[in-house]
Amino acid sequence: MTIKLLINLNPKNNRIKFTNYGIRVRFGKYSLANQIYIMNNDIEINGLKIGDPISGFEKKFGEPVKDNSGNAHFKYKYIYLSGKL
């Protein structure tokens, strides 16, 4: 699934939740997406899905920059990927 977005963001509201897709996106500088929170177990990222062993995510994205009881945050370049693993 590919999602393209063209939006104007209010600086006070830099998050958008796409309930139909099961994701929440946070935007940073220049309105670029810099954090994606995945809530849908069907979404595949580089061959991985939520619920797969965390070792697979670590292999693709490196060590999590934060991990609170399985809610892991991975940094890839300037983007953060987070979700309940």
Side-chain angles (χ1 to χ4, degrees):
M1 162 181 27
T2 301
I3 302 170
K4 283 189 174 184
L5 303 171
L6 294 173
I7 55 176
N8 291 320
L9 292 174
N10 177 338
K12 293 179 182 175
N13 182 14
N14 65 348
R15 286 177 244 183
I16 298 177
K17 187 174 183 179
F18 300 94
T19 52
N20 291 344
Y21 298 104
I23 61 173
R24 184 173 61 222
V25 180
R26 181 181 295 231
F27 296 89
K29 196 173 186 180
Y30 309 116
S31 298
L32 295 173
N34 68 357
Q35 185 180 68
I36 301 169
Y37 183 81
I38 298 172
M39 301 169 285
N40 181 338
N41 295 350
D42 295 328
I43 294 175
E44 184 180 299
I45 301 165
N46 288 347
L48 297 164
K49 292 184 178 184
I50 301 300
D52 287 348
I54 195 167
S55 60
F57 286 88
E58 290 171 340
K59 185 175 180 181
K60 297 271 183 173
F61 301 106
E63 290 289 318
V65 292
K66 182 178 174 185
D67 184 357
N68 293 335
S69 302
N71 187 6
H73 298 249
F74 293 91
K75 183 176 181 188
Y76 179 73
K77 297 182 183 178
Y78 59 89
I79 296 174
Y80 288 89
L81 170 68
S82 62
K84 187 83 172 156
L85 300 177

